[in-house]
Amino acid sequence: MLRWFRSNKCKKITEAEQEPGREEGVDKEEAEDFIRLYHAENPSAGSVKPRLRDVFGEISQTGTYTHTAAELAFGARVAWRNSNRCIGRLYWKSLRVRDRRHVDTADGIAEECAEHLRIATNKGKIRPTITVFAPDTPGERAPTIWNDQLIRYAAYLNSDGGVVGDPANIEVTRMARRLGWRGHGTRFDVLPLIIEAKGGLTAHEVSPELILEVPLRHPEFSWFAELGLKWHAVPAISNMCLEIGGVRYPCAPFNGWYMGTEIGARNLADVGRYDQLPVVAERLGLDTSHDRTLWRDQALVELNIAVLHSFAEDGVTISDHHTESRRFIAHLEKEERNGRVCPADWSWIVPPLSGATTPVFHRYYDDVQLTPMFSHRSRE
Ligand code: ARG
């Protein structure tokens, strides 16, 4: 897969270079690009030359180098700024960065993830947060989390081939069970964290009091609550690698807040996920005998109204796709005023509901991949 381009030079990153393990160590050119970027955007950090000399010296001796706390925080925020698929980047500067690079045991990581959830959830006033654990070093792989988010619902395969729960998590559920975890068998069993550290895999239960969830109801239809649907408050991605100046942090869970459509138009609506549109349509009494009645579209709108209404009523931060689209355009214009391009992937930025009613639909974007960045880890 040769689809990544690094910085404005559009240098292709080959598969071999992406591989974790890093026998060859950190690429000095990548380190230099980052240190220069950091100093260019942070003039108060002093002169770049001595810092570069130190970084190069450290790479020559050890094959890698250590970011200062300020470089790490800047790198993590810019990785968010460079996330082509994310519509919510207006607040990139406000990301809270928890520097936990010294934590490299499975138990330590599980504890810090719990603390991350407590801080990020903030009783519903969601705070964008990242916790950065140990980086890969030459010859030693850092620990990783196998779940794609800190909070994910299990999936159980029925004997008739049906699935109870979130079909997106079949594999990780299987692994959790192999590690001895037993769920309750409901549609919304929160999976344990599966952490790989020092060659071993372990499962770690997330304490229920850390998991804020919102039961879904509808402002007009009282039957909606009977569907028994809910979703968790904090989307915290845990399987992406934070790459800063040639250093890879494969365990760096981060979260923002939800945009309603992620839940209402994808997680609960996709046929390959909770597939709830036929259920909602039936309760609405819609004619589902033909596509042209637009029963799916009508059900989709009611489901999304329920998501936004329930989160708002419970005081849990969420945004609707109209507001978030406007914010994204504001972000893009601000970036351009600052002399930067705002790279974006149209197919991810445009919301999955009412796309053309939002301003993000009606334009094209530069889709270059800048660094620092969040990349998908390859797990072999
Ligand atoms: N779409 C994913 C989900 O529904 C979450 C991705 C990150 N979303 C966010 N708002 N930060 O769980």
Side-chain angles (χ1 to χ4, degrees):
M1 276 184 295
L2 290 178
R3 54 186 150 73
W4 289 343
F5 295 88
R6 187 172 67 79
S7 77
N8 298 334
K9 294 178 205 151
C10 289
K11 175 189 164 214
K12 277 183 181 166
I13 296 180
T14 65
E15 196 102 48
E17 283 173 275
Q18 285 172 33
E19 280 294 302
R22 311 326 51 193
E23 271 82 52
E24 350 57 54
V26 166
D27 180 331
K28 284 190 179 167
E29 204 185 311
E30 284 184 46
E32 175 168 359
D33 285 351
F34 170 68
I35 297 295
R36 288 194 184 281
L37 180 73
Y38 171 72
H39 282 264
E41 294 194 31
N42 299 276
S44 64
S47 147
V48 69
K49 283 227 174 83
R51 179 60 183 140
L52 273 180
R53 203 180 321 113
D54 287 353
V55 166
F56 288 158
E58 202 181 335
I59 296 175
S60 299
Q61 277 198 343
T62 68
T64 186
Y65 67 107
T66 311
H67 291 125
T68 65
E71 287 165 358
L72 182 76
F74 172 76
R77 292 179 182 131
V78 174
W80 183 9
R81 186 175 90 193
N82 288 339
S83 294
N84 299 21
R85 295 172 166 185
C86 176
I87 193 173
R89 287 178 269 168
L90 178 61
Y91 304 112
W92 66 273
K93 277 188 182 163
S94 71
L95 180 67
R96 282 172 176 246
V97 181
R98 304 179 65 237
D99 181 357
R100 294 294 183 274
R101 285 176 286 177
H102 56 281
V103 178
D104 64 354
T105 63
D107 284 339
I109 289 170
E111 268 168 45
E112 287 296 342
C113 287
E115 185 62 6
H116 178 125
L117 283 174
R118 203 188 56 73
I119 292 170
T121 307
N122 191 27
K123 300 191 166 70
K125 254 190 100 22
I126 311 292
R127 297 190 274 221
T129 305
I130 185 168
T131 301
V132 185
F133 294 106
D136 279 336
T137 56
E140 202 190 343
R141 273 175 166 228
T144 52
I145 298 172
W146 280 38
N147 315 56
D148 54 10
Q149 292 189 30
L150 296 183
I151 300 172
R152 294 264 81 178
Y153 297 124
Y156 307 99
L157 210 53
N158 277 338
S159 44
D160 65 359
V163 172
V164 175
D166 188 345
N169 304 314
I170 287 245
E171 275 312 312
V172 66
T173 305
R174 201 170 282 150
M175 182 50 74
R177 284 156 71 107
R178 218 176 286 159
L179 291 169
W181 176 80
R182 290 285 169 270
H184 298 291
T186 79
R187 288 192 289 173
F188 297 102
D189 286 354
V190 173
L191 283 160
L193 290 177
I194 298 182
I195 300 176
E196 181 174 353
K198 310 208 188 292
L201 269 188
T202 42
H204 305 253
E205 200 84 52
V206 184
S207 165
E209 76 255 16
L210 294 170
I211 304 165
L212 181 60
E213 292 178 304
V214 179
L216 301 185
R217 60 273 188 191
H218 190 284
E220 286 170 59
F221 309 125
S222 56
W223 52 261
F224 198 98
E226 293 161 19
L227 301 178
L229 300 175
K230 62 176 173 178
W231 205 257
H232 54 89
V234 179
I237 308 281
S238 49
N239 66 344
M240 290 183 87
C241 177
L242 169 62
E243 298 191 24
I244 304 175
V247 176
R248 296 168 48 96
Y249 298 93
C251 192
F254 61 87
N255 74 278
W257 53 76
Y258 265 117
M259 179 165 89
T261 55
E262 298 183 84
I263 302 166
R266 302 299 311 280
N267 301 349
L268 295 176
D270 277 4
V271 173
R273 300 289 298 284
Y274 280 82
D275 194 18
Q276 291 298 299
L277 296 184
V279 179
V280 174
E282 209 229 319
R283 299 297 292 257
L284 284 166
L286 303 179
D287 174 4
T288 58
S289 68
H290 204 285
D291 286 342
R292 70 170 166 264
T293 65
L294 299 188
W295 61 268
R296 285 192 193 80
D297 310 65
Q298 216 170 329
L300 197 53
V301 170
E302 300 306 344
L303 177 53
N304 277 273
I305 288 173
V307 169
L308 292 169
H309 164 77
S310 310
F311 271 64
E313 202 171 68
D314 282 5
V316 176
T317 312
I318 196 162
S319 60
D320 66 81
H321 47 294
H322 302 287
T323 305
E324 211 57 63
S325 294
R326 250 186 287 112
R327 286 182 187 157
F328 181 70
I329 297 294
H331 166 65
L332 195 140
E333 288 170 353
K334 201 165 157 190
E335 286 298 288
E336 286 173 352
R337 275 199 304 280
N338 284 312
R340 295 190 285 263
V341 292
C342 173
D345 177 342
W346 192 97
S347 68
W348 277 71
I349 295 295
V350 172
L353 176 65
S354 312
T357 67
T358 68
V360 296
F361 179 95
H362 301 276
R363 51 161 299 157
Y364 292 110
Y365 305 95
D366 269 322
D367 194 6
V368 287
Q369 181 61 66
L370 306 177
T371 57
M373 68 194 259
F374 291 107
S375 63
H376 276 287
R377 267 183 353 231
S378 57
R379 186 195 300 138
E380 76 270 8

